[in-house]
Amino acid sequence: MTPTAAPTWDDFVVAWELFRDPIACAFAAGAVLGMLSVYVVLRRMVFVSAAVTQSAALGVAASFYAEIHLGLAFDPVFGAAAAALGATLLLLFDPKKLGVSRESVLGWVFAATGGATVVLGSRITQEAHDIESILFGTAVLVRPLDLTLVLAVGAAVLLLQLALHRGLVFASFDPVAARVQRLPVTALSSAVLLAIGIMVGVSARALGALPVFAFSTMPALTALLLGSGVRAAFVVAAAVGALSGVLGYLCAFFWDLPVGGAQAGLACGFALAALVLRSGYRLAVSLRRGRGRPGAAPTGDTRG
Amino acid sequence: MSGAAATSATAGAARPGELLLRCRSLVVGYRGEGLLPPLDLELRRGTLVGVLGRNGSGKSTWFKTLLGLLRPVAGRVERSAPGLRMAYVPQSAGLDAILPLSARDVVAQGRLTGTSFLRPWASAEDRRVVAGALEAVGVAGLARRRFRDLSKGQQQRVLFARMLATRADLALLDEPTAAMDVEGEREAVAELARLAHGERMAVVLVTHALELAERNCDELIVFDRPARRVVHGPSAEVAGGALYRRLRGELA
């Protein structure tokens, strides 16, 4: 590959050993976060996902800072997981008892962790590239430890979803009836929030906060716009998340783009395409109904 | 019917059906403060009970206490058996409108109790019960339709089917007809009377539709928080009382 020539499939195949792990990581994280995104969107937790993702980024930045300035060496992936879990646990408490809305706490977590990440980042200039990769997902390579954690936590979250999804859907749809039928509604809500927290934590170090946030919100939007039922929505969202991760990586390779930006852009692109498809379908249906009605304008123009 | 305390117009009278739930000197309220006087009443199988009162009269608080969602301020709620099955039917307007659930999915929720949701798929028996419940309330043809796309009346019937699928002994319905037109409301309340009598359940219905309740319910409970009164008894008897007549005048 010359510096001026665009990369080809042959280049990609030759370097497959190098790309295998990041693509596997993007596939697994995209699929699992995509599946979880259905809960994020249906339970109106998009801002929760943003705050937890931002906290994971702070955890990575704090790990670098601790190693450089305090001599405390621990892997940033554990810093990310710990910070994401910490934020999740904070969000598990009901702030209404203090006369404060949950949105206020979310806003505080997002602003505080975002600000702290930028401040810590300015004090670890020798790792500035790493901080950028954490925030925007510009890292091309993924470490074996990151991949192992994403695969292990992803598998555990999938099993949890399989076990809890019927209860979670009921508790989301009608929490009072679910309580009356003696379902552990609070425990179910906590379980899904913790699953999101831990998966975001381990994925953020590997892929970056931006694509992780995109994977944990956009795939559900795509699935719901495509008109999927609840069970199909989990499958479609997982597929869209995995596709966004893998295709985003390929786009970044072939067109020399930042990986995280390409992955997040694709996830948003799928949602936009689904929105266009749904709007077109609705328009077609309304036009067909209009034509079918006696006395309707034959051109479909209903203006008076 | 006394003024300051809750009264039961049928206290001591023989009633049909097995006793399911008993309120003993039950005081409902929040943070230790009672909203209404102590209430003694019994809910029996095969009866439709209408709960009436103005907004803020304490109906919902009483309801939540019966459901176990609020602790009594005083007194107690006694269930006839620890395994008494209860079902709750909310107003359809209060349910999540984003979830893309089919009518069948909603009815299948009636089969979930305790930790039974841990089984990833519905059993053959659950599917049979769900199909039967949809059939029983005349919405079998809507099974595959999205719940959110149904009319208010159809949604409420699907929720009635969910109630049936629970095989509940006691069902509590919180203004299920609030979003319906007059005809839909009439059909829904008649349907509930049929279910209570036919399925041998105790059905407790919170409603503002006084005349429908008077016509269809076996018993009525009228809450009057400002006067700190609760009146309970057979419909004809309660409907002849001053409290009911005043409430009818206020809601007219």
Side-chain angles (χ1 to χ4, degrees), chain B residues 5-229:
Chain B
T7 55
S8 174
T10 56
R15 288 193 214 173
E18 170 199 354
L19 174 67
L20 296 175
L21 188 137
R22 176 186 282 139
C23 298
R24 277 193 194 272
S25 303
L26 178 69
V27 180
V28 301
Y30 292 94
R31 295 180 208 92
E33 192 178 327
L35 298 177
L36 295 160
L39 175 63
D40 290 290
L41 68 83
E42 294 174 349
L43 296 174
R44 290 179 178 273
R45 199 180 286 283
T47 51
L48 176 62
V49 180
V51 180
L52 310 170
R54 285 179 298 179
N55 289 334
S57 63
K59 300 189 299 286
S60 296
T61 310
W62 179 72
F63 219 60
K64 285 177 185 169
T65 310
L66 279 198
L67 288 167
L69 304 174
L70 277 180
R71 286 187 179 181
V73 171
R76 58 185 187 270
V77 178
E78 293 175 351
R79 298 180 181 190
S80 61
L84 182 80
R85 289 191 183 202
M86 293 173 83
Y88 169 74
V89 178
Q91 290 182 34
S92 61
L95 296 171
D96 194 317
I98 296 180
L99 270 167
L101 292 169
S102 68
R104 182 187 284 128
D105 291 334
V106 172
V107 178
Q109 290 171 349
R111 302 301 300 156
L112 300 180
T113 53
T115 53
S116 69
F117 61 85
L118 289 170
R119 197 180 53 231
W121 292 281
S123 66
E125 165 70 3
D126 286 346
R127 286 196 293 272
R128 193 185 60 73
V129 171
V130 168
L134 285 161
E135 191 75 46
V137 297
V139 289
L142 304 175
R144 287 168 177 271
R145 294 264 306 275
R146 287 279 153 77
F147 180 80
R148 66 187 182 199
D149 296 337
L150 302 177
S151 71
K152 292 292 173 204
Q154 289 170 331
Q155 286 183 347
Q156 210 60 59
R157 279 179 175 270
V158 170
L159 291 174
F160 290 169
R162 186 181 75 178
M163 175 185 86
L164 280 184
T166 61
R167 295 276 168 90
D169 304 296
L170 171 62
L172 298 115
L173 298 92
D174 192 3
E175 298 189 46
T177 61
M180 292 183 184
D181 57 25
V182 175
E183 182 61 18
E185 198 170 35
R186 190 189 60 75
E187 285 178 10
V189 176
E191 180 78 29
L192 284 171
R194 191 183 65 74
L195 293 175
H197 301 145
E199 303 289 333
R200 306 294 295 153
M201 308 165 74
V203 178
V204 182
L205 165 71
V206 172
T207 181
H208 283 118
L210 267 61
E211 283 182 21
L212 282 176
E214 183 185 334
R215 203 175 313 137
N216 292 280
C217 293
D218 305 295
E219 298 173 14
L220 293 178
I221 306 174
V222 184
F223 288 81
D224 185 353
R225 190 176 158 196
R228 291 187 65 78
R229 285 188 68 194

Side-chain angles (χ1 to χ4, degrees), chain A residues 98-136:
Chain A
L98 301 172
V100 178
S101 71
R102 171 174 271 225
E103 282 65 31
S104 311
V105 177
L106 285 170
W108 185 89
V109 171
F110 186 81
T113 52
T117 306
V118 173
V119 168
L120 284 182
S122 71
R123 292 289 180 270
I124 45 176
T125 46
Q126 58 269 55
E127 304 287 353
H129 180 73
D130 282 310
I131 293 296
E132 192 181 326
S133 74
I134 295 156
L135 291 176
F136 304 112

